[in-house]
Amino acid sequence: SHQSPPVRPHTHPFTLTHKLSSSMGQQESAVAVGRHRHRPVYGSQQLIDLMALLPSEVALHVMSFLDVSDLCHLASVCRLWRALVMDDSLWRHRMQLDWVHTKAWTRPPNNALWRDMYITMWHGARITNQFPDDGVNVLVKSLAVINSPAEIARMLKGARHIHPGAVGAYLREKPEETKEFLLLHDMSGLSLTQAARCMFRTMHMQRPSTAALRCLLTAFARQYKLCNVRTDLSPEAIYLLTYSTLVLSGDLHNPRVKNKMSKREFVRCGRSMPQATDELLGEIYDDVWLFGHVCGDADL
């Protein structure tokens, strides 16, 4: 009697840590694997693997546009795709996209593979999102980042897998790191409200202390003045205007506040601040009213 071919067990898509780590030492050359290409048969038609028809360099370039999750799924398709995914140049490109501060690296610390270093930093990012201080310590101990305020700030600014809320939680009581973090923001040609939104897109502080908020606004005022040297506003005026903008933003966009501040009231109260003209105060009010909360998800 005719026997049907055995059914292959279902293989789950491998995870980033297990499959990529278990394949170390077993990496196959994409060129060698490509010599044994085959075309799987589906019914009466042959399926053509378009990736197998491309040179390895072109195939790697195509894969460089995929994120890590897609790469992990591709590696479970066939031997050729797995060999391409394991190419270390692909992970160097992925590292420089997801961790901008590594663009200056010629090799990972301790001459590790780029793939292994990516896994280490991905683990550190997951811990940082839950426990910011512990996660940054893990990255420092793994030599993924130098233990200095400037380097930690650069890492946090360019890390795609670290949430802005975790960045704000880490910087909340660290004035040196906060200052270095703000120095990385380009505020040239932006209004005060636009620059504040730019800052809060990269960090969310939840209920900061008075000292933490003062440190943040002081660093913001200095950086805004450095980026806009032609402005007539002094750092002290920028500080006060930014603080007033945050108060106004919370007043206008907090649903629990029933009696919203009017434009006339905001201008009248702001006249006591140095260098605050009625025109400037009116522009700030209109911007906050039309374009929404300045702080985003931050709770100030």
Side-chain angles (χ1 to χ4, degrees):
S1 60
H2 177 70
Q3 295 182 354
S4 60
V7 179
R8 297 182 61 185
H10 175 68
T11 303
H12 294 281
F14 70 106
T15 60
L16 177 65
T17 54
H18 175 68
K19 286 292 184 179
L20 292 182
S21 300
S22 63
S23 62
M24 288 187 293
Q26 302 176 0
Q27 181 176 355
E28 301 179 69
S29 170
V31 177
V33 175
R35 296 172 183 170
H36 305 285
R37 298 166 179 165
H38 65 280
R39 297 179 179 179
V41 178
Y42 181 78
S44 60
Q45 298 180 349
Q46 282 188 336
L47 299 181
I48 299 177
D49 182 3
L50 296 179
M51 195 70 72
L53 302 178
L54 299 175
S56 301
E57 295 78 7
V58 178
L60 288 172
H61 180 70
V62 173
M63 288 185 172
S64 68
F65 293 95
L66 303 177
D67 59 19
V68 176
S69 177
D70 293 333
L71 291 176
C72 292
H73 284 84
L74 285 182
S76 64
V77 174
C78 65
R79 294 171 63 199
L80 173 62
W81 289 19
R82 182 182 184 85
L84 289 170
V85 170
M86 294 304 164
D87 191 283
D88 216 35
S89 64
L90 187 64
W91 290 98
R92 177 178 184 176
H93 174 76
R94 190 74 256 172
M95 175 82 82
Q96 294 176 349
L97 287 179
D98 293 349
W99 305 87
V100 179
H101 77 284
T102 63
K103 287 185 176 181
W105 291 4
T106 55
R107 288 293 303 172
N110 296 331
N111 290 324
L113 293 176
W114 289 98
R115 182 180 69 251
D116 300 339
M117 201 64 202
Y118 189 97
I119 295 173
T120 300
M121 300 186 71
W122 184 75
H123 272 298
R126 291 186 63 186
I127 298 174
T128 303
N129 286 331
Q130 297 182 9
F131 310 101
D133 290 340
D134 295 340
V136 172
N137 289 335
V138 168
L139 292 172
V140 169
K141 290 179 180 179
S142 65
L143 303 180
V145 59
I146 300 174
N147 189 16
S148 71
E151 290 300 318
I152 292 175
R154 288 181 62 233
M155 183 272 295
L156 294 174
K157 179 67 167 56
R160 294 180 58 183
H161 296 294
I162 297 181
H163 191 270
V167 176
Y170 179 81
L171 298 177
R172 183 161 44 192
E173 303 296 339
K174 298 178 176 63
E176 290 299 323
E177 286 81 351
T178 301
K179 178 181 177 181
E180 296 293 340
F181 187 80
L182 266 295
L183 287 175
L184 300 173
H185 290 70
D186 184 11
M187 304 177 186
S188 303
L190 300 180
S191 64
L192 275 177
T193 49
Q194 291 172 338
R197 286 194 180 94
C198 176
M199 174 181 65
F200 285 113
R201 275 196 297 266
T202 59
M203 58 173 297
H204 300 163
M205 278 195 179
Q206 302 297 325
R207 301 184 183 278
S209 63
T210 303
L213 184 58
R214 184 184 300 116
C215 173
L216 176 65
L217 294 184
T218 301
F220 173 82
R222 291 175 179 173
Q223 180 63 9
Y224 186 84
K225 182 63 177 179
L226 286 175
C227 294
N228 299 275
V229 293
R230 294 185 178 181
T231 181
D232 296 330
L233 298 174
S234 64
E236 293 77 12
I238 297 172
Y239 179 102
L240 294 174
L241 286 169
T242 306
Y243 182 82
S244 300
T245 302
L246 297 180
V247 173
L248 173 66
S249 180
D251 181 270
L252 294 181
H253 300 285
N254 189 340
R256 291 174 293 183
V257 178
K258 303 302 179 182
N259 298 322
K260 306 296 185 182
M261 183 182 297
S262 66
K263 184 176 181 178
R264 180 178 299 178
E265 292 173 334
F266 180 72
V267 172
R268 185 179 68 250
C269 295
R271 287 172 180 164
S272 60
M273 291 184 292
Q275 299 179 295
T277 62
D278 291 359
E279 181 181 1
L280 177 59
L281 294 171
E283 291 176 354
I284 292 175
Y285 188 95
D286 292 338
D287 187 290
V288 176
W289 176 265
L290 293 174
F291 298 106
H293 207 344
V294 173
C295 307
D297 294 335
D299 185 6
L300 301 180

